[in-house]
Amino acid sequence: MASKRKATDETKTPEVKIAESDEDEALGKELDLDKSGSDDSDDSDSSVYSELEEDESEDESDDEGSTDSEEESDDANDEQDLPVKKTKEKAKSSKPKEDEYNYDSSDEEDIRNTIGNIPVNWYDEYGHIGYDLDGAKIRKPKRGDELDNFLSRMENPEHGVTVEDTSTGQKVVLSEADADIVARAASNRVPEQGYDMYGEWSEWFSSDVMETPLRDIPETKKSFLPSHCEKQKVGKMVHAIKMGWMKPRPAADTKTDESGPKYHMLWQTDDQVDSTMRRVHDPIPAPKMYLPGNEESYNPPPEYLFTDKEKMSWERATREGDKRKLPFIPQKYSSLRKVPAWSTFIRERFERCLDLYLAPRQRKMRLTITPEDLVPQLPRPQDLQPFPTVCSITMKGHNNMVRSLSVEPKGQYLASGSDDGSMKVWEMATGRCLKTWDMGGVVKSVAWCPNSALSLIAVAVDTVVFLINTGLGDKLVNTRTDELLSEEPDNSGYVPPARVSQAVKWTGPEEKSPPGTLVMVTHFKAVKQVTWHAKGDYFATVLPEGENRSVFIHQLSKWRSQVPFSKAKGQVQCVLFHPVRPSLFVATQRHVRIYDLVKQELTKKLMSGAKWISSIAIHPSGDNILTGTFDKKVQWYDLDLSSMPYQVLRYHTNAVRDVQFHKRYPLFASCGDDNNITVSHGMVYNDLLQNPLIVPVKRLYGHTKYDDFGVMAIMWHPTQPWLISAGADGHIKLWT
């Protein structure tokens, strides 16, 4: 169509444009089309579409200039061209209007917008709505605002039948027929008016049967010849049957004798499945009744009849509900007609019905799990030796419960503190008491200084911590200890804070002090525990009633003290120094807090879930912690894993008093008020991906209870797999 149009354009000479009809002119004004076309425009197209094309040709010329300033100059040129346009319109009106379709064939469509079947909303952001046949842009018509729409709705009688052509953006007024079709379709009626949906059906074929058929072609000769492909198939089947590859179906037995009597199974056998049970997979047949034996006969043999003794025992078993050999007594009758009615017939029938009703209908595969499969595969205790198994030495000398134990760093001596007000030092190898000190009060805690260059014990009695030289072992070490601690260090420039000076006082020995006392550290409240740092210069004391001053850290070389905490986070039970890092473990009643002493901040808080923590122990590597609680639990924490317990051990039936790790062997132990000492194997691997192995290996019994107190304290030997325990009975036992 475009080629035809170009041909007509070439044949025509440039003339003045024919004037449009009044309707077209009005429509052009409505659409605000630019009519300032060039003289070369097509004269034949005088419709609105031709005006659109003229506008597009102008756009092409604009695009060739393609700047925004040129568009502004075009608007100015349009005003100048207005008189020229009027003269052209007059010239157009003088000429007769030509038919714009005189060169089109009737079956061609006049497609103005060539964008095809694509969503028109793609052009929402552009000033044009598509492209014509020559590739020029079709400008969007001006759209009125809501006020124009309202005025059109009020004044324009054709507003209701006006629709917008989405391809050109132009408003089109529907004809009456089109509007009627739209209205009928919207109300779910037949769009075409006057169409009868239920008219008589015009038959395609006649219903009359013709005597002579329309088509009577004789059968072809092919239909009388056997099929070649079927012959090949039959030949293959015959060969397969001969070779035994294929077995023919057995012929149906036609010689069924229907005249004879038919027999049916009255009782089903076990191998026959009831048709109603086919829905159940792998059914179980109903239980059968036991067949009667000789004892149930009306005329049983004499050996089946009861004697008087058997009859008495049967009746006694019936009364007492014991198990009987037979549920009845066999009886003998001379003839069958003399047998009376069976007294328990109805009961037996009822029980039989219960057997059938309550019988299992289906086999179910149950998991056969033995309890041994649920228990983890732990190594045998014999493979985890050495660990203490027997009590080798019992050290007797204290008259009251022994609360605290401490072993010398080399393992040669043992110190013990008791409620009888004495502290004793024992020789480990023989169990002999070497020295006894009368401390003048209940000894709550003893701790041997880990520094092997000093022979020093810290003893907590009431509010005072005595630092005592034992005078045992190497004499050079003893004299060096006396020299170092006999004189007060020079603290002339140091002024202790008020919180510390009011609570702690360092003094030398007094007249009433125990023999060998070098330093006395007096506190403002009772001291419960003394623990040393691994280097031997610092030691910490715990005052449970001290509130925000319940923990003190003392420096031995300078006679100085400090209070690390300004707030009380619960009642402190015990504290421990980390064996490697500068950290302090503080155990309150419910939590264990880990503080960094260098950064002076809380690094971790362990949630125990226990009601009252009694003791704490740290693995020599420093990454695992053991806590004992008064609610019978021993909790193992892996610091790299979580703040919750890795394992909770419930081996005690009463309160747990103490827990301890061995420094060299993978062993730990716990003791409690149930007089039970549980020794366990606790292997910590260097591989971080492997969890610690915890295996209880031995239970040690030997102490006796005293006022509901059991084993009060335990301590491992520093080099040997030996365990020392102290009980409320005043005895100290060495387990090897």
Side-chain angles (χ1 to χ4, degrees):
M1 195 172 78
S3 60
K4 281 184 186 180
R5 200 166 285 188
K6 281 181 183 177
T8 55
D9 289 349
E10 286 170 5
T11 54
K12 291 182 182 178
T13 56
E15 293 178 6
V16 181
K17 246 175 123 183
I18 299 167
E20 298 135 333
S21 63
D22 295 339
E23 291 179 5
D24 291 346
E25 192 173 350
L27 187 58
K29 285 177 183 175
E30 266 186 36
L31 297 175
D32 196 29
L33 298 174
D34 193 357
K35 295 178 185 174
S36 59
S38 62
D39 294 338
D40 300 335
S41 61
D42 188 0
D43 297 341
S44 63
D45 293 343
S46 60
S47 67
V48 178
Y49 291 103
S50 64
E51 291 172 4
L52 287 170
E53 285 177 359
E54 289 162 16
D55 198 6
E56 288 154 16
S57 62
E58 275 187 10
D59 292 342
E60 284 179 10
S61 61
D62 290 348
D63 291 343
E64 289 168 9
S66 80
T67 56
D68 295 339
S69 60
E70 285 178 324
E71 287 181 7
E72 293 173 5
S73 63
D74 285 346
D75 295 339
N77 293 338
D78 289 346
E79 294 175 4
Q80 295 172 4
D81 291 345
L82 281 175
V84 182
K85 279 164 74 177
K86 285 179 183 176
T87 56
K88 285 181 183 178
E89 284 170 11
K90 286 179 184 177
K92 278 186 203 170
S93 60
S94 62
K95 272 201 171 189
K97 184 179 178 183
E98 289 186 14
D99 185 11
E100 58 178 319
Y101 297 115
N102 59 354
Y103 51 84
D104 283 343
S105 60
S106 61
D107 57 347
E108 279 186 331
E109 255 187 89
D110 186 18
I111 301 173
R112 296 292 167 178
N113 198 347
T114 59
I115 60 174
N117 188 17
I118 65 166
V120 186
N121 58 4
W122 289 3
Y123 287 91
D124 286 351
E125 299 178 0
Y126 300 97
H128 58 284
I129 203 168
Y131 302 90
D132 61 1
L133 292 169
D134 297 327
K137 295 179 182 176
I138 301 176
R139 287 282 179 189
K140 286 183 184 175
K142 279 189 180 177
R143 297 189 179 277
D145 54 6
E146 289 296 327
L147 186 60
D148 296 335
N149 186 24
F150 174 73
L151 291 174
S152 171
R153 199 162 61 244
M154 293 293 109
E155 299 173 358
N156 187 6
E158 294 177 344
H159 178 80
V161 291
T162 305
V163 296
E164 184 179 349
D165 186 1
T166 56
S167 61
T168 59
Q170 171 190 352
K171 294 190 184 307
V172 179
V173 180
L174 297 177
S175 62
E176 287 186 11
D178 292 341
D180 184 50
I181 288 172
V182 171
R184 291 176 70 86
S187 59
N188 290 332
R189 289 184 291 167
V190 180
E192 186 180 343
Q193 195 172 9
Y195 177 76
D196 186 10
M197 291 176 64
Y198 308 105
E200 289 188 5
W201 180 258
S202 57
E203 294 183 356
W204 184 259
F205 295 104
S206 171
S207 58
D208 301 330
V209 180
M210 300 175 69
E211 292 181 2
T212 307
L214 290 174
R215 179 179 179 278
D216 193 11
I217 303 171
E219 302 255 348
T220 59
K221 287 186 178 182
K222 276 185 181 179
S223 61
F224 298 105
L225 295 174
S227 171
H228 182 61
C229 62
E230 287 180 5
K231 180 183 175 184
Q232 286 180 331
K233 283 184 181 178
V234 171
K236 285 181 181 178
M237 287 183 185
V238 171
H239 179 62
I241 291 170
K242 283 180 180 178
M243 298 298 291
W245 303 334
M246 187 173 152
K247 291 183 180 179
R249 292 177 188 163
D253 187 12
T254 55
K255 298 179 181 179
T256 54
D257 189 10
E258 297 180 359
S259 59
K262 293 182 179 179
Y263 300 102
H264 299 281
M265 280 290 293
L266 187 59
W267 307 111
Q268 285 190 333
T269 57
D270 289 344
D271 56 349
Q272 290 176 325
V273 180
D274 188 7
S275 60
T276 59
M277 294 289 289
R278 280 183 185 165
R279 59 188 171 80
V280 178
H281 176 67
D282 197 9
I284 300 173
K288 284 187 166 186
M289 289 187 70
Y290 291 108
L291 295 176
N294 287 335
E295 63 274 3
E296 290 184 89
S297 172
Y298 75 94
N299 189 12
E303 62 266 20
Y304 286 96
L305 296 173
F306 279 6
T307 61
D308 292 341
K309 188 178 180 181
E310 288 176 338
K311 192 173 181 180
M312 288 175 63
S313 65
W314 187 91
E315 288 173 350
R316 182 185 54 79
T318 305
R319 284 195 305 269
E320 296 177 1
D322 294 341
K323 194 174 181 181
R324 303 168 301 180
K325 187 178 179 182
L326 292 173
F328 60 93
I329 299 174
Q331 291 181 349
K332 188 178 179 69
Y333 299 97
S334 59
S335 62
L336 188 60
R337 58 189 171 83
K338 290 184 179 180
V339 177
W342 183 237
S343 59
T344 58
F345 172 75
I346 294 176
R347 182 178 181 81
E348 281 190 0
R349 290 296 93 195
F350 176 69
E351 288 178 353
R352 174 63 181 164
C353 290
L354 284 182
D355 285 345
L356 296 174
Y357 170 62
L358 299 174
R361 289 283 181 265
Q362 184 179 5
R363 286 185 181 87
K364 287 188 177 179
M365 295 301 294
R366 284 189 170 84
L367 294 174
T368 55
I369 297 176
T370 58
E372 289 77 18
D373 296 339
L374 300 175
V375 178
Q377 295 296 321
L378 297 175
R380 297 186 307 157
Q382 290 81 4
D383 300 337
L384 302 176
Q385 288 178 338
F387 52 83
T389 54
V390 294
C391 177
S392 298
I393 300 173
T394 300
M395 307 172 198
K396 299 178 181 179
H398 288 289
N399 300 324
N400 207 329
M401 68 168 68
V402 181
R403 286 188 180 270
S404 179
L405 293 173
S406 183
V407 182
E408 190 224 356
K410 294 178 182 176
Q412 189 177 359
Y413 303 111
L414 170 70
S416 62
S418 172
D419 279 13
D420 59 4
S422 66
M423 181 192 72
K424 293 179 182 288
V425 175
W426 313 77
E427 191 177 20
M428 190 78 75
T430 60
R432 188 164 55 97
C433 180
L434 300 177
K435 270 193 176 184
T436 302
W437 285 265
D438 184 10
M439 305 304 298
V442 174
V443 179
K444 291 291 181 71
S445 178
V446 294
W448 214 296
C449 179
N451 188 356
S452 57
L454 298 174
S455 175
L456 199 64
I457 294 182
V459 186
V461 180
D462 197 19
T463 61
V464 184
V465 175
F466 296 96
L467 297 177
I468 299 174
N469 185 354
T470 58
L472 299 172
D474 193 349
K475 291 183 179 179
L476 293 175
V477 175
N478 293 334
T479 54
R480 192 185 305 124
T481 305
D482 288 338
E483 289 172 3
L484 286 173
L485 298 178
S486 57
E487 295 180 3
E488 184 178 352
D490 184 17
N491 284 328
S492 57
Y494 171 71
V495 178
R499 291 184 69 222
V500 177
S501 61
Q502 292 169 5
V504 179
K505 184 181 179 184
W506 289 73
T507 58
E510 297 176 355
E511 291 181 4
K512 297 179 182 180
S513 301
T517 303
L518 299 176
V519 181
M520 292 170 58
V521 185
T522 308
H523 299 74
F524 75 111
K525 293 285 183 182
V527 180
K528 180 186 177 183
Q529 184 209 2
V530 180
T531 181
W532 286 90
H533 189 265
K535 296 289 179 65
D537 189 27
Y538 290 90
F539 64 95
T541 55
V542 175
L543 290 68
E545 299 171 2
E547 295 180 354
N548 60 347
R549 291 182 288 183
S550 56
V551 179
F552 285 90
I553 297 177
H554 310 280
Q555 188 176 3
L556 179 63
S557 58
K558 296 183 179 180
W559 287 25
R560 291 182 186 177
S561 302
Q562 54 182 317
V563 184
F565 309 117
S566 58
K567 290 182 180 178
K569 296 286 181 69
Q571 189 176 0
V572 179
Q573 300 300 308
C574 49
V575 298
L576 275 181
F577 288 100
H578 194 282
V580 183
R581 293 191 286 272
S583 297
L584 183 68
F585 293 79
V586 180
T588 56
Q589 283 186 1
R590 292 175 180 264
H591 303 101
V592 178
R593 291 177 173 84
I594 306 171
Y595 294 93
D596 192 327
L597 295 174
V598 176
K599 297 180 181 177
Q600 297 182 353
E601 63 182 13
L602 176 70
T603 57
K604 201 160 193 176
K605 182 181 178 182
L606 305 180
M607 317 295 290
S608 70
K611 294 179 182 177
W612 198 306
I613 295 174
S614 63
S615 53
I616 182 173
I618 303 176
H619 193 268
S621 64
D623 291 332
N624 294 271
I625 290 181
L626 212 58
T627 60
T629 64
F630 285 126
D631 45 1
K632 312 172 192 177
K633 291 186 286 189
V634 176
Q635 297 172 326
W636 179 298
Y637 293 89
D638 191 340
L639 298 183
D640 296 332
L641 197 65
S642 168
S643 60
M644 303 297 290
Y646 161 67
Q647 199 77 267
V648 179
L649 313 175
R650 294 179 175 89
Y651 300 135
H652 293 275
T653 57
N654 213 324
V656 178
R657 287 284 171 184
D658 199 6
V659 288
Q660 291 293 335
F661 272 111
H662 199 288
K663 291 185 179 179
R664 290 196 179 183
Y665 290 91
L667 295 171
F668 68 91
S670 60
C671 66
D673 287 344
D674 53 358
N675 288 332
N676 167 24
I677 303 169
T678 303
V679 180
S680 303
H681 176 89
M683 173 62 81
V684 177
Y685 299 95
N686 291 328
D687 185 7
L688 294 176
L689 298 176
Q690 196 166 0
N691 290 329
L693 174 67
I694 301 170
V695 184
V697 291
K698 189 67 179 175
R699 245 181 197 171
L700 304 175
Y701 292 98
H703 291 276
T704 55
K705 271 199 174 186
Y706 177 77
D707 281 350
D708 288 336
F709 291 109
V711 185
M712 301 299 294
I714 51 175
M715 183 65 67
W716 287 98
H717 192 277
T719 55
Q720 300 294 330
W722 299 347
L723 185 67
I724 305 105
S725 63
D729 53 4
H731 296 167
I732 301 168
K733 293 182 181 290
L734 174 64
W735 307 85
T736 58

